Amino acid sequence: MRDDVRLIPVGPAERAAVAALALADDQRELVASNAESLEEADTDPAARPRAIVAGDRVVGFLMYELIDRGRAANIYRFMIDRTAQGRGLGRAALDRLLAEIAALPGVATIEICYVPENVGARRLYAAAGFVEVGVDEDGEIIARRPVDRPGAADARR
């Protein structure tokens, strides 16, 4: 796994870099724009926007929120810049995000939605243990997985 990947809250210093990230032409319709997502985060106190940083460069963006009275997390934005794709950064960022969510008390489930045409997302999330459970009102696939907590397997023995 890539050890140089980290997630940082999007503050004023990261906004321009996050807004400048772009998807490949054939991916643009699969994910909302980062500029729209940042505007949404400005008005939604539940939104938790994160810049995905590799080394000293912002390479992606994600956003999630807690739902169901804090018992679940919903990842509703996740993208890697077109120039940084195919290098394991998405997988590393998802691993960091799953760890961040696992550190939140009371969260038991993680949910993510994606358009059915997003084959890359479907593969990434399935490899991370997400299981497709249905379709939302917008026709997006809903996938869920339990939160893995350090030591949880040992405690069950």
Side-chain angles (χ1 to χ4, degrees):
M1 179 180 10
R2 303 244 347 201
D3 293 331
D4 63 333
V5 174
R6 65 190 194 286
L7 306 180
I8 60 172
V10 177
E14 295 79 28
R15 286 183 77 89
V18 166
L21 297 172
L23 292 167
D25 290 340
D26 62 338
Q27 297 172 323
R28 287 193 181 132
E29 299 301 317
L30 303 178
V31 181
S33 82
N34 291 347
E36 290 173 33
S37 296
L38 290 172
E39 288 175 15
E40 182 179 336
D42 288 341
T43 60
D44 182 359
R48 296 174 184 224
R50 300 290 186 263
I52 301 168
V53 180
D56 61 354
R57 183 173 158 236
V58 174
V59 296
F61 172 73
L62 64 85
M63 194 157 63
Y64 73 99
E65 65 185 342
L66 297 183
I67 57 174
D68 193 22
R69 293 185 217 142
R71 292 187 297 251
N74 176 39
I75 305 166
Y76 58 104
R77 299 290 188 279
F78 193 100
M79 66 84 68
I80 299 293
D81 186 77
R82 67 177 181 243
T83 64
Q85 292 180 11
R87 299 179 189 165
L89 298 170
R91 178 64 204 186
L94 184 57
D95 287 346
R96 300 304 184 282
L97 178 57
L98 296 176
E100 179 175 320
I101 292 170
L104 300 172
V107 180
T109 306
I110 304 169
E111 181 175 286
I112 194 159
C113 294
Y114 46 89
V115 296
E117 299 83 14
N118 196 340
V119 176
R122 181 179 249 164
R123 272 191 240 128
L124 174 67
Y125 304 138
F130 284 88
V131 176
E132 294 179 357
V133 296
V135 177
D136 71 9
E137 66 278 357
D138 296 321
E140 293 188 358
I141 295 170
I142 302 167
R144 288 191 187 111
R145 62 161 282 162
V147 170
D148 290 333
R149 299 223 191 290
D154 296 332
R156 287 192 291 260
R157 289 185 190 158

